[in-house]
């Protein structure tokens, strides 16, 4: 019996260590992609700001007005940035839960209930307006990013830590997300000012 429990502990620990490594890589990738989106926006706006009156006049001969083209390009990049930042937020919370669970297990051997597969509970309904805003416009920490894989079946100790981390994150200001979001809106403002100036 003791050997069976030890095998279960070893298997769970190995799974969490593997997931921690993969989640950290995923988190860094999402952060890099969000920053790349911001750099792309800055490059687009820099290009618009460098246009002179004649060049902007040439752009106006196209079927789509320059302001519409600029807003569509900005919107596409802005939504991309929001998508990357939301996934980064999920990865940060999951990584923190994995780290804290493994740290706890390094100090004290997990109990049998800690290792039991988590039984999924009914989720609270979400506010669709806040979810829309969080996805496409501005960060809303009260909206949690759904994971691709259900929490059901993970060790209960991990899911409890995950839930705790998510509740704590609702009280925090998403400074890194707000910084890129405000920067994105600033590029929109500067681009529109340039286009309307002519």
């Amino acid at each position: 019996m003791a050997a069976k429990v030890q095998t279960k502990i070893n298997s769970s620990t190995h799974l969490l260590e593997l997931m921690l490594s993969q989640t950290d890589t995923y988190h860094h990738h999402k952060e890099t992609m969000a920053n790349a989106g911001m750099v792309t926006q800055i490059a687009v706006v820099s290009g618009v700001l460098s246009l002179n009156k004649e060049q902007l006049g040439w752009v106006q001969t196209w079927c789509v007005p320059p302001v519409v083209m600029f807003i569509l390009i900005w919107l596409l990049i802005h939504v991309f940035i929001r998508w990357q930042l939301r996934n980064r937020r999920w990865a940060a919370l999951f990584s923190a839960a994995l780290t804290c669970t493994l740290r706890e297990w390094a100090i004290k051997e997990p109990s049998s209930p800690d290792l039991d597969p988590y039984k999924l509970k009914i989720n609270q309904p979400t506010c669709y307006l806040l979810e829309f805003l969080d996805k496409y416009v501005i960060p809303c920490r009260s909206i949690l990013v759904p994971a691709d894989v259900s929490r059901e079946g993970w060790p209960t100790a991990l899911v409890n830590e995950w839930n705790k981390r998510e509740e704590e994150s609702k009280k925090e200001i998403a400074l890194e997300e707000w910084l890129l979001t405000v920067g994105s809106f600033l590029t929109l403002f500067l681009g529109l000012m340039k286009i309307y100036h002519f």
Side-chain angles (χ1 to χ4, degrees), residues 11-72:
S11 298
S12 296
T13 303
H14 180 67
L15 173 63
L16 267 58
E17 287 170 347
L18 178 65
M19 287 307 302
L20 179 59
S21 172
Q22 291 181 353
T23 304
D24 283 347
T25 302
Y26 180 79
H27 172 272
H28 299 318
H29 175 69
K30 295 292 117 186
E31 188 169 42
T32 301
M33 295 308 291
N35 290 332
M38 190 71 234
V39 168
T40 304
Q41 268 190 343
I42 291 169
V44 168
V45 171
S46 297
V48 169
L49 293 177
S50 69
L51 292 174
N52 59 35
K53 206 167 193 172
E54 292 76 33
Q55 292 168 323
L56 197 58
W58 175 78
V59 173
Q60 287 173 337
T61 62
W62 296 2
C63 297
V64 182
V67 67
V68 174
M69 278 195 311
F70 177 74
I71 289 173
L72 288 176

Side-chain angles (χ1 to χ4, degrees), residues 27-185:
H27 172 272
H28 299 318
H29 175 69
K30 295 292 117 186
E31 188 169 42
T32 301
M33 295 308 291
N35 290 332
M38 190 71 234
V39 168
T40 304
Q41 268 190 343
I42 291 169
V44 168
V45 171
S46 297
V48 169
L49 293 177
S50 69
L51 292 174
N52 59 35
K53 206 167 193 172
E54 292 76 33
Q55 292 168 323
L56 197 58
W58 175 78
V59 173
Q60 287 173 337
T61 62
W62 296 2
C63 297
V64 182
V67 67
V68 174
M69 278 195 311
F70 177 74
I71 289 173
L72 288 176
I73 291 169
W74 174 85
L75 188 61
L76 181 66
I77 300 170
H78 182 77
V79 169
F80 174 80
I81 291 170
R82 289 294 316 132
W83 175 46
Q84 299 301 321
L85 289 174
R86 276 170 51 88
N87 287 332
R88 177 193 174 279
R89 185 192 318 159
W90 171 86
L93 293 172
F94 189 54
S95 178
L98 287 163
T99 302
C100 289
T101 304
L102 286 169
R103 183 183 62 199
E104 186 69 28
W105 289 1
I107 297 167
K108 183 181 75 159
E109 196 169 87
S111 65
S112 185
D114 288 340
L115 298 171
D116 286 342
Y118 181 77
K119 300 279 192 289
L120 193 61
K121 299 180 178 91
I122 303 297
N123 289 337
Q124 296 291 330
T126 59
C127 175
Y128 293 111
L129 174 61
L130 286 178
E131 191 170 348
F132 177 85
L133 289 174
D134 189 54
K135 274 185 182 177
Y136 304 114
V137 188
I138 59 172
C140 300
R141 289 302 278 252
S142 59
I143 295 298
L144 299 176
V145 182
D148 292 337
V149 179
S150 169
R151 294 171 199 231
E152 190 169 16
W154 287 102
T156 299
L158 170 65
V159 177
N160 289 339
E161 188 64 41
W162 192 355
N163 292 338
K164 179 181 156 193
R165 293 282 159 192
E166 285 186 336
E167 285 304 312
E168 288 173 359
S169 79
K170 289 180 183 180
K171 302 168 192 161
E172 297 171 2
I173 295 173
L175 187 60
E176 64 284 347
E177 288 190 45
W178 274 107
L179 185 63
L180 287 180
T181 302
V182 168
S184 177
F185 279 105

